[in-house]
Amino acid sequence: MKTFIEQLINGLSLGSIYALIALGYTMVYGIMKLINFAHGDIYMVGAFTGFFASTYFHLGFIPSLLLAMLVSLILGVTIERVAYRPLRDKSKISILITAIGVSLLLENGGIILLSPQVRTYPQIFKQHMYSFLNGVITISNQQIVIFVVSIIMMVGLQLIIYKTKMGKAMRAVSTDPDAARLMGINVDRTVSFTFAIGSALAAVAGVLVGIYYNSIDPLMGIMPGLKAFIAAVLGGIGIIPGAMVGGLLMGVIEALVSGYGSSLYRDGVSFAILIIILLIKPTGLFGKNVREKV
C-alpha cells in the first residue's frame, strides 16, 4: 500500500507537468487543427530561461518562473506569426511539416548555442520530506510546489477561457473561424493569444521539471513533448479538461509501470496507450464522434 501511494504521488507530480504541456497542444489543435510539434521545444526554452535566471541572475522561484513564461510566450507568438500564419490557408501537411522543421530548428539551435551537455538545475528549494499517517504517505516540498503551481495555472486557464472576452473569442474561433470573423472577432489576434498562453504553460512545466529532476538539456523536450501529445489524445485533443485528465493519467500509469515493473517499459507503455486509443476510441476519453459533411 505504501509503495502504491508513493507511486501515485510521483505519478500525479509527473502527470501535472504532462498536463501543463498537453494544454498547449490541445489549445492550438482546438483553434487551428494543428499539432504543434515545436511545443515540446518551447518547454525546453522555458526550462533553460528559468535555469539562467536562477543560476546567473540569482532570481527566486517566482521571478524565474515569470521570466521563463515571458520568454516562451514571446517565442510562441513569434513562431506562430513567422512560420504558421503565412501557411494557414495552405494544406494541413504543409503546416505540419513546418512545425517539425521549427522543432528541429529549436533543438539544433539549442545544441549550438547552449552545447549538448546536461546542465544541473540549481536547488531553488531545499528538499524536505513530509510524512503523514505514520509514514504511509510521504511527499516532498518540491512535489507540493508542482501540485500548487499546476492547480493555479489550470484554474487560471479555466477562468481566462470561460470568464474573459478573449476566452469567448477563443471558443468562437475554435468552433467556426469564418463565423467568428464575420462576428467581428480578430482571428489572428485570438490565435496569437492561444499560442502565448500555451507557450507560457509549457515554460511553467519546464521550470518545474528542472526543479524536480535537477537536470536539463537541449533535447529534453522531445520525449515529454511526445508524451504530452499522447496525453492530449488520451483525453481528447482539442478538449481542455481532457488534456488535464490525460496528463494526470499518463503520469500515474508511467509511475506505476516504473514502480511495479521496470522504468525501461514506461515509454513503450505510453506509445502502446496511443495505439490503443487510436484503435478503440480515436476521439479520446472526453471526445465525441462528429460526422463531417462533405
Side-chain angles (χ1 to χ4, degrees):
M1 187 65 183
K2 185 181 176 184
T3 304
F4 176 78
I5 292 175
E6 280 179 2
Q7 295 305 326
L8 186 63
I9 293 172
N10 291 337
L12 290 174
S13 306
L14 181 62
S16 300
I17 292 165
Y18 284 153
L20 288 174
I21 308 172
L23 284 169
Y25 274 112
T26 211
M27 282 195 298
V28 169
Y29 183 84
I31 212 158
M32 282 184 66
K33 300 294 178 284
L34 163 70
I35 298 169
N36 181 18
F37 282 110
H39 192 63
D41 303 297
I42 294 173
Y43 148 86
M44 174 271 292
V45 171
F48 268 95
T49 305
F51 168 79
F52 286 117
S54 55
T55 303
Y56 295 106
F57 298 103
H58 306 291
L59 298 180
F61 171 65
I62 292 178
S64 300
L65 190 68
L66 293 175
L67 184 62
M69 291 172 73
L70 178 64
V71 171
S72 297
L73 178 155
I74 293 170
L75 178 63
V77 172
T78 304
I79 290 171
E80 187 277 326
R81 182 69 185 83
V82 174
Y84 299 151
R85 190 178 297 182
L87 298 173
R88 202 180 293 165
D89 297 327
K90 307 295 181 186
S91 65
K92 295 293 180 191
I93 192 70
S94 301
I95 198 164
L96 190 66
I97 291 170
T98 304
I100 295 171
V102 173
S103 173
L104 292 172
L105 177 68
L106 290 175
E107 287 164 11
N108 289 287
I111 290 173
I112 293 170
L113 292 174
L114 305 169
S115 85
Q117 72 179 37
V118 176
R119 309 288 182 99
T120 302
Y121 224 78
Q123 194 174 28
I124 297 176
F125 299 105
K126 272 193 174 179
Q127 189 170 19
H128 295 287
M129 301 299 293
Y130 301 97
S131 294
F132 303 95
L133 300 175
N134 294 325
V136 175
I137 299 174
T138 306
I139 186 168
S140 70
N141 57 335
Q142 294 171 340
Q143 290 172 321
I144 293 172
V145 168
I146 289 173
F147 292 142
V148 171
V149 172
S150 300
I151 290 170
I152 291 172
M153 292 296 155
M154 291 177 192
V155 171
L157 179 64
Q158 290 292 304
L159 291 176
I160 288 173
I161 289 176
Y162 291 103
K163 300 291 182 184
T164 67
K165 195 173 177 182
M166 186 55 82
K168 289 179 183 175
M170 289 168 66
R171 285 185 282 148
V173 172
S174 68
T175 303
D176 190 333
D178 294 328
R181 189 176 286 110
L182 289 173
M183 296 298 290
I185 293 173
N186 187 328
V187 173
D188 289 341
R189 190 166 59 188
T190 306
V191 171
S192 294
F193 184 80
T194 305
F195 270 83
I197 295 287
S199 301
L201 291 175
V204 174
V207 174
L208 293 178
V209 159
I211 292 171
Y212 193 45
Y213 292 107
N214 290 326
S215 64
I216 58 172
D217 66 87
L219 301 181
M220 63 179 282
I222 297 175
M223 193 53 76
L226 287 174
K227 289 180 180 176
F229 169 66
I230 295 171
V233 174
L234 174 62
I237 193 158
I239 302 169
I240 288 175
M244 295 179 191
V245 174
L248 293 173
L249 280 175
M250 278 294 298
V252 170
I253 290 168
E254 271 199 22
L256 292 178
V257 169
S258 300
Y260 289 99
S262 167
S263 59
L264 295 174
Y265 299 140
R266 63 181 186 179
D267 293 343
V269 170
S270 301
F271 292 108
I273 290 171
L274 176 64
I275 294 168
I276 292 168
I277 296 165
L278 293 175
L279 288 174
I280 298 176
K281 197 171 189 306
T283 54
L285 298 175
F286 289 71
K288 294 178 181 175
N289 288 322
V290 177
R291 186 174 295 173
E292 292 189 1
K293 296 178 181 177
V294 178

